[in-house]
């Protein structure tokens, strides 16, 4: 297993900055991928959503402008396939950061969840 994790982050996101700072203090090397410039592809989402253990709807950044532009009613009536297409097309629609570490994917930054993951990483 690689010692480096992949983090999809947005440079203007304070949560992303806090997550990257947390990784650094834990001595965990991260390769940062700018989520706006390089959003997850539909193929990545197909794998990562499953690995995260979350529904595709939990991947939505519901506090962002992209979500508001779509509107709750449109999102609520969308299929999972449509949501994956929208997430792949607009990195700002994705809840961030997204951490990819081997087979495990974490969405959003919750220090306790990340600590639990890395504590059991071996």
């Amino acid at each position: 297993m690689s010692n480096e994790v992949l983090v999809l982050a947005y440079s203007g996101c304070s949560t992303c900055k806090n997550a990257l700072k947390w990784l650094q203090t834990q001595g965990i090397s991260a390769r940062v991928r700018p989520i706006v410039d390089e959003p997850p592809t539909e193929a990545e989402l197909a794998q990562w959503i499953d690995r995260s253990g979350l529904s595709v709807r939990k991947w939505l950044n519901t506090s962002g402008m992209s979500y508001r532009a779509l509107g709750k009613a449109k999102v609520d009536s969308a299929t999972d396939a449509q949501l994956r297409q929208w997430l792949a097309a607009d990195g700002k629609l994705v809840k961030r950061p997204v951490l990819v570490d081997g087979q495990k994917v974490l969405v959003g930054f919750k220090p306790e969840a990340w600590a639990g993951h890395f504590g059991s990483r071996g």
Side-chain angles (χ1 to χ4, degrees):
M1 179 190 305
S2 171
N3 291 328
E4 184 177 66
V5 298
L6 172 64
V7 179
L8 281 74
Y10 173 55
S11 62
C13 169
S14 60
T15 303
C16 294
K17 290 175 187 174
N18 290 336
L20 293 170
K21 188 181 299 180
W22 185 91
L23 288 170
Q24 185 177 28
T25 63
Q26 302 300 310
I28 299 165
S29 177
R31 179 170 59 90
V32 179
R33 179 167 135 189
I35 198 166
V36 174
D37 299 330
E38 297 178 56
T41 65
E42 286 188 57
E44 287 172 331
L45 286 166
Q47 293 178 357
W48 293 351
I49 290 168
D50 185 53
R51 291 180 192 168
S52 74
L54 302 172
S55 74
V56 66
R57 293 180 188 282
K58 294 288 186 183
W59 279 66
L60 295 168
N61 174 14
T62 58
S63 62
M65 291 176 62
S66 292
Y67 179 86
R68 288 194 291 271
L70 284 171
K72 185 176 178 348
K74 185 173 182 179
V75 171
D76 286 349
S77 65
T79 65
D80 287 358
Q82 285 174 311
L83 292 173
R84 282 192 302 273
Q85 288 176 341
W86 295 342
L87 289 166
D90 183 357
K92 286 191 175 181
L93 188 58
V94 180
K95 184 173 186 168
R96 53 193 183 258
V98 175
L99 180 137
V100 181
D101 184 22
Q103 293 298 309
K104 185 67 176 173
V105 177
L106 303 175
V107 180
F109 177 56
K110 295 183 181 113
E112 63 281 357
W114 285 35
H117 167 68
F118 288 105
S120 64
R121 187 176 181 203

